[in-house]
Amino acid sequence: MSSSKERIAIIGAGLGGAVAGALLQHAGFDVNVYEQAPSFSRLGAGIHMGPNVLKIFERIGVAEKVVSISSTPSHWFSRDGISGDYLSRIPLEGYGATYCTVHRGDLQGIQCDALQPGTLHFGKKLTRIDDNGTDVLIEFEDGTSVRADIVIGADGINSRVRETLLGAEKPNYSGWVGHRALISSDKLRKYNLTFEDCVKWWGPDRHMMVYYTTARRDEYYYVTGVPHPAWEFDTAFVPSSREEMASEFEGYHPIIQALIESTDEVTKWPLFNRNPLPLWSSGRLVLLGDACHPMKPHMAQGAAMAIEDAAMLTRCLQETGVNDFATAFGLYEANRRDRATRVQSVSNANTFLLTQEDPSWVYGYDVYAEPLRTENAA
Ligand code: FAD
């Protein structure tokens, strides 16, 4: 077992980094998390957290809280976007924990609150890392620096830690965008239509995923996948409009038209990905989540993979201690690479739950129940 004296630095307090911090702290490690944003705000977006993730939330004592603020759909419906016919009805119960759909900002708040007070540092944008073989010097844009024994790069798709390991390389634009909008449920009352808890509307070349983001079901959220040949903007997202949505989904089902009609604000996000990386760690630096295996979001499992990574990395460090980080990082990759790569490829293909299939390989997975494999899967 580890001593708790070694210092672990996590770069990025996104959905993976915050959970990694909380899990490692629960295991007794000395951990600080450095986030570039000055603070987090409640931006308009939802997220699915499947039973595979809720099992991990139980370990940091936040599962009940997350369930209490989430919508907990019993099924994922896939429907034809034009006729409304049901293509699949996938049960979301029976995988060992609850399936939640929740507001992303609310979830992030709960995750950050699970960190020990004073260990989450906002306004710390990593600019340079120097692994000198004995420890790691971490420099931030504000001119400050810290040292750590190991560094976890949980800094997302444009990871600076990944760049340090593998060189600068922009992610691949997938040729798709996602529109995101939150709609007040009050606006939907006037329609004589049923707005289901969790439904994906599939068209021939595009889709719209829709679900509630609160336990009270007072916010309904949609996120699309729509082909768009090039991303011509420098920003993470741009505003879209009701008119643009109406033209992208012309001729689609009346429920989709009602959602578009009820949209006040909608944003448009480019969807990026990367090919599987040749390595997940080097020396004292290790990657997790989108820094390591970003994917198109069509399986709603990107953050889930980041959180599973966090749990497996913690498990491996508990096994070896920080001093033997090289063994821990090898074990971590050996036990995560196959699963993360499989999810990445199914997600990118956008076929998950289109037809009646058994999703238990995703939702039934328990990161703590798997025996640790020692061989490197790379
Ligand atoms: P992030 O959440 O991106 O966090 C990275 C953090 O690092 C950020 O807070 C960032 O500010 C910080 N950071 C970056 N650079 C630096 C730096 N230099 N210094 C310090 N901090 C830095 N996944 C799901 O599981 N379910 C879903 O339903 C789902 N829906 C999605 C819908 C859309 C439209 C998109 C685009 C994605 C969706 N995803 C979903 C995927 C999910 O958002 C990502 O996979 C997930 O956020 C990855 O978590 P992460 O912690 O690796 O990275």
Side-chain angles (χ1 to χ4, degrees):
M1 268 300 293
S2 70
S3 103
S4 59
K5 299 284 183 274
E6 296 84 9
R7 300 150 301 168
I8 302 177
I10 299 177
I11 309 299
L15 298 176
V19 174
L23 285 165
L24 287 161
Q25 287 175 351
H26 272 252
F29 293 101
D30 176 1
V31 185
N32 280 279
V33 185
Y34 301 94
E35 166 57 46
Q36 66 177 0
S39 65
F40 287 139
S41 52
R42 195 178 186 269
L43 287 175
I47 195 151
H48 301 240
M49 288 282 111
N52 47 325
V53 176
L54 269 287
K55 288 169 204 162
I56 298 169
F57 285 166
E58 282 165 15
R59 302 288 172 128
I60 47 171
V62 301
E64 242 176 76
K65 181 97 205 263
V66 171
V67 172
S68 76
I69 63 158
S70 299
S71 171
T72 56
S74 64
H75 286 80
W76 165 310
F77 297 123
S78 278
R79 297 182 66 175
D80 184 284
I82 294 157
S83 70
D85 289 347
Y86 285 83
L87 308 171
S88 71
R89 293 179 172 86
I90 310 288
L92 297 176
E93 291 163 350
Y95 306 104
T98 310
Y99 193 105
C100 297
T101 59
V102 61
H103 193 287
R104 205 184 160 104
D106 295 343
L107 176 71
Q108 198 159 28
I110 291 177
Q111 293 186 351
C112 289
D113 287 348
L115 290 164
Q116 285 166 3
T119 59
L120 170 53
H121 310 276
F122 282 109
K124 293 289 173 191
K125 180 173 184 178
L126 168 76
T127 49
R128 200 174 82 87
I129 289 192
D130 180 23
D131 174 359
N132 63 22
T134 309
D135 66 2
V136 187
L137 175 66
I138 303 162
E139 293 177 354
F140 301 105
E141 200 177 53
D142 64 2
T144 60
S145 62
V146 292
R147 288 186 177 278
D149 294 293
I150 58 171
V151 175
I152 300 173
D155 48 345
I157 190 161
N158 293 304
S159 168
R160 190 79 185 76
V161 181
R162 190 212 66 83
E163 195 177 311
T164 307
L165 295 181
L166 290 160
E169 192 183 345
K170 281 192 186 312
N172 309 320
Y173 174 60
S174 66
W176 286 52
V177 294
H179 303 85
R180 287 167 143 172
L182 268 183
I183 298 168
S184 157
S185 300
D186 285 345
K187 291 202 147 206
L188 302 175
R189 282 192 227 293
K190 67 178 183 211
Y191 299 98
N192 188 23
L193 296 167
T194 302
F195 296 96
E196 290 163 320
D197 283 0
C198 178
V199 52
K200 186 164 175 176
W201 297 90
W202 299 75
D205 69 343
R206 63 198 58 211
H207 65 259
M208 183 185 276
M209 177 89 228
V210 195
Y211 52 89
Y212 290 97
T213 56
T214 61
R216 292 190 305 279
R217 291 196 178 81
D218 54 357
E219 280 177 357
Y220 207 41
Y221 170 69
Y222 67 73
V223 53
T224 73
V226 172
H228 183 82
W231 182 254
E232 52 281 90
F233 310 98
D234 279 339
T235 46
F237 66 91
V238 294
S240 176
S241 64
R242 198 183 294 149
E243 293 68 31
E244 182 179 342
M245 289 300 299
S247 125
E248 294 289 10
F249 286 89
E250 194 181 345
Y252 275 70
H253 192 272
I255 292 183
I256 296 183
Q257 301 310 326
L259 295 178
I260 294 172
E261 216 173 78
S262 307
T263 301
D264 286 329
E265 206 182 329
V266 50
T267 51
K268 182 163 71 174
W269 300 67
L271 304 183
F272 290 105
N273 53 31
R274 288 186 190 277
N275 297 327
L277 301 187
L279 53 82
W280 286 30
S281 68
S282 178
R284 293 171 177 271
L285 314 184
V286 63
L287 301 173
L288 68 71
D290 277 10
C292 193
H293 42 66
M295 57 191 82
K296 282 163 78 189
H298 307 323
M299 209 173 146
Q301 282 288 321
M305 290 305 106
I307 293 167
E308 286 185 9
D309 285 351
M312 183 58 82
L313 182 56
T314 303
R315 211 180 140 189
C316 297
L317 283 165
Q318 281 182 282
E319 194 76 16
T320 65
V322 170
N323 282 335
D324 193 8
F325 59 84
T327 304
F329 293 171
L331 262 182
Y332 160 65
E333 181 174 343
N335 286 279
R336 287 301 299 157
R337 181 182 276 275
D338 286 355
R339 178 167 168 86
T341 305
R342 180 175 177 199
V343 170
Q344 196 179 20
S345 101
V346 174
S347 201
N348 287 341
N350 191 24
T351 50
F352 187 59
L353 308 188
L354 168 59
T355 55
Q356 196 67 32
E357 64 175 286
D358 178 2
S360 43
W361 69 276
V362 181
Y363 304 144
Y365 178 82
D366 181 348
V367 69
Y368 301 102
E370 300 289 316
L372 279 185
R373 294 163 44 177
T374 49
E375 79 280 18
N376 198 315

